[in-house]
Amino acid sequence: MKSRIFAATFLTLFSLTGYSQVENAGGVRKRSEKDAKETSAPGVSDRMQGFYQSKTAHDADLSYMKEVYRRLDLDNGPNAALYYPEDVIDGQENLFRIILGLVVDGKIPAYEYLDGREIFTDQYKVNVGEMLNRFDIYAQEGKGSTEKNPKYVIEEADVPTGQVKNYYILERWEFDRRSNSMKTTVEAICPVLNRYGDFGADARYPMFWVKFDALRPYLAQQFVFVSDDNNIPQYSLDDYFNLGLYDGEIYKTRNLRNQSLAQMFPDEDDMKRAQDSIDNHLRNYGKNLWVPSREEYLAMRGADDKKKEGKKKKEQSEELPERNMNIADSAQTVVTTAGVDAEESEEPQTQAASARAKKKTSAKKAPKKQPKASSPSAGNAAAEKSVRRRKR
C-alpha cells in the first residue's frame, strides 16, 4: 500500500515539474537548455514543424511523377486572397509580407532562382543582404545579427508589397501505388516582382524560392476569406494551397531541354492547347488506370445521359423561338405572296378566258366545208365499181 502511494505521489510531482521531453533514437530524455534555444521561432514549436513536414514517397512506391510550374496572377479573382490586405491590419498580413519577414529574420532559408533547375541545398542558399540590395529594398541590421545568421529590419513603407503581382509555384504530381491515388503537393513558392523596365514594358523579376514545408507552420496561423459572399476567414493559407483553391496556368514542366512552354510552342493557340492537355492528363491520370466497377460505370453513364439530355434541352430551347418565328414568317410570306399573285394573275386569267370565248364563237360562226363536186367520170367509176361488187 505504501509503495502504491509513493508511486502515485512521484508521478504527480513529476507531472507538475513541467519538464518537457523529446524523443530520440535511444528513448525519452529530458529537454536541455540547448534544445530550448534551438526552437526555430516564437509561436512555432518543434512539434508543429514536425507535424507539417511531409515525407517524400519512396521511388518504389511511385508509378508516375511529374513536376509542374504554375504562374499565379494576383489580379485573378481566386488568387486575390494572397494579395490582400496590402498593409498590416489587425495582425493580418498578406503572403509576401509573411515570406519576406521570415527570410529576413533568418527563420526559414531562401534558395536561388535557377530557372527550372532548382536545387534546395545549402550551396544555393540566398545571401539575404545581397538579395535585398539586388532588388533595391532598404533594410537595416537587426538585433542579434551575426555573420552566420544575419538579421535585418525593414520598415513597412519599404516593403514592395504592391509590386508583387505574381507567384511561381512548383507542384509535384505523384501516383502512389499504396493508396492507388494521385497526390498533389506544392514544393516551393517564388514571389515575383513586377516593375517597369528600361523601355517602359512591365518586366518580371523572380526573387527566390522558399520551401512550402518550411512555410506551413506560419501559414496555418494566418486565416483569410476566399469569397466576397462570406467575410469570415474560415481557411488558413495552408488550407488554401493544400485544397488547391488557387488558379494558375502552367508555364513550364520539367524536361530534358529545360524549355518553357512558350519556347516549345511559339504560337499562343498551340501553347494554350498544350496547357489544357497537360492539365487534363494530370487530373485524369488516376481515373484512366482502373476499370470502373458496375456501380461506378452506371453512375458515370447516368451522369453522361443527364449531360446529353441537358444539352439537348438547351439546344431545343435555343432553337424553338427561332423556328416558330421562321414558321410564322414563312406563313405570312406565303399568304402575302398568294394575295399578290392572285391580284397580279387576275387580269391575265380574264384575258385568257375572253380569248377562249372568242375562239369558240369564231368556231361556231365558221361555215362548214362543202364536199367537192365529183366529176361524172368519177361517179361512173364509182357506180361501176359498186355494181361489180354487188352479189348476184
Side-chain angles (χ1 to χ4, degrees):
M1 184 68 180
K2 292 181 179 181
S3 61
R4 293 180 180 178
I5 295 174
F6 178 75
T9 305
F10 177 77
L11 291 174
T12 304
L13 292 175
F14 184 77
S15 61
L16 293 175
T17 52
Y19 292 119
S20 59
Q21 299 176 349
V22 295
E23 294 185 1
N24 61 3
V28 179
R29 64 179 176 84
K30 291 184 180 180
R31 189 189 188 102
S32 62
E33 295 181 358
K34 183 179 179 181
D35 295 330
K37 291 180 180 179
E38 290 178 354
T39 303
S40 60
V44 176
S45 62
D46 293 339
R47 186 175 182 181
M48 290 178 64
Q49 287 183 336
F51 176 78
Y52 287 107
Q53 287 179 355
S54 59
K55 295 181 180 180
T56 305
H58 196 271
D59 292 342
D61 298 329
L62 299 178
S63 62
Y64 180 83
M65 191 274 290
K66 193 173 187 64
E67 291 184 346
V68 175
Y69 295 83
R70 289 185 185 270
R71 182 188 300 110
L72 306 185
D73 186 3
L74 299 189
D75 291 332
N76 194 359
N79 303 328
L82 305 179
Y83 183 78
Y84 296 99
E86 298 182 55
D87 301 325
V88 181
I89 301 175
D90 296 334
Q92 297 290 324
E93 297 178 333
N94 60 10
L95 180 61
F96 178 67
R97 285 184 179 273
I98 295 173
I99 292 176
L100 186 63
L102 295 174
V103 171
V104 165
D105 292 342
K107 297 177 181 178
I108 62 173
Y111 301 92
E112 293 285 348
Y113 179 82
L114 301 177
D115 193 14
R117 301 189 184 277
E118 283 68 36
I119 304 174
F120 303 114
T121 59
D122 295 340
Q123 181 181 357
Y124 294 95
K125 281 186 177 180
V126 170
N127 188 323
V128 179
E130 294 179 358
M131 182 268 297
L132 295 176
N133 292 331
R134 189 194 316 160
F135 295 107
D136 298 328
I137 300 175
Y138 180 74
Q140 298 177 349
E141 290 189 0
K143 295 182 180 180
S145 176
T146 60
E147 293 182 0
K148 294 183 178 180
N149 188 17
K151 297 181 180 180
Y152 299 89
V153 177
I154 304 176
E155 298 294 334
E156 292 186 5
D158 297 327
V159 178
T161 306
Q163 298 179 3
V164 178
K165 295 294 185 66
N166 301 100
Y167 284 98
Y168 294 158
I169 63 172
L170 177 59
E171 283 183 348
R172 184 183 177 94
W173 292 72
E174 300 174 342
F175 187 83
D176 194 349
R177 294 177 180 174
R178 294 173 299 176
S179 59
N180 292 331
S181 61
M182 181 71 81
K183 296 180 180 179
T184 309
T185 56
V186 179
E187 281 199 340
I189 302 176
C190 174
V192 182
L193 287 174
N194 289 252
R195 291 176 176 174
Y196 289 102
D198 298 334
F199 300 98
D202 191 8
R204 295 172 180 161
Y205 299 96
M207 298 182 68
F208 49 80
W209 287 102
V210 289
K211 297 195 71 174
F212 183 69
D213 286 346
L215 277 175
R216 290 189 65 186
Y218 305 94
L219 299 183
Q221 301 178 20
Q222 190 71 37
F223 286 83
V224 294
F225 62 91
V226 296
S227 175
D228 293 336
D229 296 333
N230 190 356
N231 294 335
I232 298 176
Q234 296 179 334
Y235 297 94
S236 65
L237 286 175
D238 181 54
D239 299 331
Y240 177 86
F241 284 101
N242 289 326
L243 296 176
L245 301 179
Y246 54 86
D247 183 16
E249 62 177 5
I250 299 174
Y251 73 92
K252 188 176 184 179
T253 59
R254 180 156 292 185
N255 54 80
L256 295 176
R257 293 179 293 175
N258 193 28
Q259 291 183 345
S260 64
L261 292 181
Q263 294 173 334
M264 298 172 65
F265 304 96
D267 186 70
E268 293 184 0
D269 295 336
D270 294 340
M271 187 177 68
K272 180 62 177 175
R273 284 191 290 269
Q275 290 173 343
D276 296 340
S277 176
I278 294 170
D279 205 353
N280 293 331
H281 174 70
L282 292 173
R283 298 185 187 280
N284 297 323
Y285 181 85
K287 298 178 182 178
N288 297 332
L289 286 179
W290 310 108
V291 177
S293 62
R294 184 175 182 275
E295 290 76 10
E296 293 175 348
Y297 174 75
L298 293 176
M300 292 168 57
R301 187 174 178 181
D304 293 339
D305 293 341
K306 287 183 179 179
K307 287 182 180 179
K308 291 180 181 178
E309 185 177 356
K311 186 177 180 180
K312 188 175 180 181
K313 288 182 178 179
K314 185 178 180 181
E315 292 177 354
Q316 290 178 353
S317 62
E318 292 177 353
E319 292 178 358
L320 278 176
E322 185 177 359
R323 188 181 299 171
N324 293 336
M325 188 181 299
N326 293 336
I327 292 172
D329 294 343
S330 60
Q332 187 176 1
T333 305
V334 169
V335 171
T336 54
T337 307
V340 173
D341 293 343
E343 293 176 359
E344 293 179 353
S345 61
E346 183 177 359
E347 185 176 356
Q349 286 179 0
T350 54
Q351 293 177 359
S354 60
R356 287 195 295 270
K358 288 180 181 179
K359 190 175 182 180
K360 289 181 180 179
T361 53
S362 61
K364 290 180 180 179
K365 292 179 180 180
K368 293 183 179 180
K369 293 182 179 181
Q370 297 294 332
K372 293 182 180 181
S374 58
S375 58
S377 59
N380 298 331
E384 291 177 359
K385 188 175 183 181
S386 61
V387 170
R388 291 175 184 174
R389 290 182 178 178
R390 193 177 296 173
K391 292 182 180 180
R392 294 181 183 177

